[in-house]
Amino acid sequence: MAVASPAVIAHRGYSAVAPQNTLAAVEAACRAGADAVEIDLQPTADGVGAVIHDETVDATTDGTGKVSALTADEVLGLDAGSRFSPAFSGQRVPTLDDVLGVLARHPDTDLLLELKGSWGAEQVGRVAATIAAAGFDNRVLVQSFWPGTVATVRDVAPHLPGGLLVSFDPPGLLRLCERLRVVACNPSVATVANSPRLVSRLHAAGLRVMSWTANDPAAWTTLVSADDGAGVDAVVTDRPERLTGWLAGRAVHTAVLAVPAVPGRGGIRPRRRVPAQRAVAGTA
C-alpha cells in the first residue's frame, strides 16, 4: 500500500545550497525534484515586481535601500549572490518572468508565489498578465499574509488559485478564508503544533494546508502526523532534497510495518508524490 506524502516546496528556491530567491536557487530546487518552488515578490518604485524577500535590499544584495523606493533597473541590477558565497557572484535579483522562464524548462515543478505587503489592483494585474503570458495559470498559487492583497487577487484574477498565510490561528479564520475564496490556508509549523485540530478544520472546509518553514525531522514529523495523522498537504522547506529523502524513508518504513512480506516479491512501492498541480495550484 502506497503512503500519501505531502508535496515538497522549496523555500525561496533551494536556499540551503544557493542564494535565496535567485535563478540559481530556483534551478537547484527543480533539479532536486521539488514539487514546487516558493518565491517572494516585492513591488519596486515603478511598479515592477522584484523577486526578493525583505523590504530592503541590504541583507541579500550589494545594494542598500527599500525595494519600494528603488526603480526596477536599480534593484534588478544588484548582485544577489556574493553575500551567500563568492561562487554565486553575479547572480542578480530576478523578475517573476525570469523565474517562470526557468520553471518552463521544468514542467514538474510549480510555483508558490508570495506577494509581500499591500498590493493594489494595477500591480496585481501586472502579475496576473505575466503569469498568463507564460502559460502558468494552472501552475501558480498566489498567497499573502495580507488579507487585502489576497482579496485583490480574488477580484482582479479570480482564475488564479489563492492562499492565505497565517502565523497564528485567529478567531474566524475559516470565515475569512471563505470570504477570500482561497483554496489554501498556509500556517507556520508552530501554528500547526500549537493549534489542535487546525489541519482537520481546514481540510473539512475544503482547504489545502501548506506549512512553512520546516527544516528538520522533528518539524517534518509534526506536520505529517498533525491531527492524528491527517497531515498537511505540502511542506515548505529550505532543504527539499533532504525532505524528499526523509519522506521516502518514512514511506518505506510504514509500508514494511503495514504490508506483510510476500516471498519472491518486492512488496514495497515508492512513495506516492502528491501531484504538484493538485497540491499547489489546486487544480485537478
Side-chain angles (χ1 to χ4, degrees):
M1 179 178 180
V3 178
S5 290
V8 174
I9 302 178
H11 184 231
R12 306 177 196 172
Y14 197 162
S15 54
V17 301
Q20 60 174 266
N21 279 319
T22 64
L23 298 186
V26 173
E27 182 71 35
C30 294
R31 291 177 179 269
D35 295 295
V37 171
E38 184 267 352
I39 63 169
D40 306 287
L41 201 63
Q42 299 263 10
T44 59
D46 46 357
V48 178
V51 179
I52 188 169
H53 176 270
D54 293 355
E55 291 184 1
T56 70
V57 301
D58 300 54
T60 56
T61 78
D62 60 350
T64 185
K66 287 190 173 184
V67 178
S68 60
L70 301 171
T71 67
D73 286 345
E74 290 171 327
V75 175
L76 302 177
L78 296 174
D79 184 325
S82 296
R83 283 184 178 270
F84 183 88
S85 166
F88 290 99
S89 176
Q91 280 287 307
R92 302 297 174 187
V93 176
T95 64
L96 173 59
D97 195 49
D98 293 332
V99 171
L100 296 179
V102 173
L103 295 178
R105 301 194 300 270
H106 299 278
D108 292 331
T109 308
D110 289 345
L111 180 63
L112 181 59
L113 175 63
E114 181 182 347
L115 301 183
K116 305 295 289 186
S118 178
W119 286 66
E122 182 177 351
Q123 294 169 316
V124 169
R126 289 187 184 187
V127 170
T130 299
I131 292 170
F136 269 71
D137 282 349
N138 292 325
R139 291 181 59 184
V140 177
L141 187 145
V142 183
Q143 64 175 358
S144 181
F145 280 102
W146 290 57
T149 295
V150 179
T152 301
V153 174
R154 174 200 64 197
D155 296 339
V156 172
H159 62 288
L160 290 176
L164 177 66
L165 283 158
V166 293
S167 56
F168 65 104
D169 182 5
L173 178 58
L174 295 183
R175 291 193 300 274
L176 175 60
C177 289
E178 183 178 9
R179 284 202 310 275
L180 295 173
R181 296 201 294 272
V182 294
V183 302
C185 182
N186 301 335
S188 64
V189 176
T191 301
V192 172
N194 296 329
S195 300
R197 313 306 299 174
L198 173 62
V199 174
S200 293
R201 284 164 44 216
L202 294 172
H203 281 165
L207 295 164
R208 301 184 187 279
V209 182
M210 307 175 201
S211 190
W212 51 275
T213 301
N215 290 327
D216 58 69
W220 299 335
T221 299
T222 294
L223 297 179
V224 300
S225 60
D227 288 4
D228 299 325
V232 300
D233 299 289
V235 176
V236 180
T237 180
D238 295 323
R239 299 179 172 87
E241 201 161 28
R242 290 186 184 181
L243 173 56
T244 297
W246 183 84
L247 289 169
R250 172 180 170 271
V252 169
H253 172 72
T254 304
V256 168
L257 293 179
V259 182
V262 178
R265 300 177 60 185
I268 300 173
R269 303 176 186 178
R271 82 180 179 98
R272 178 176 64 80
R273 288 167 64 100
V274 178
Q277 288 190 1
R278 289 184 56 204
V280 177
T283 58

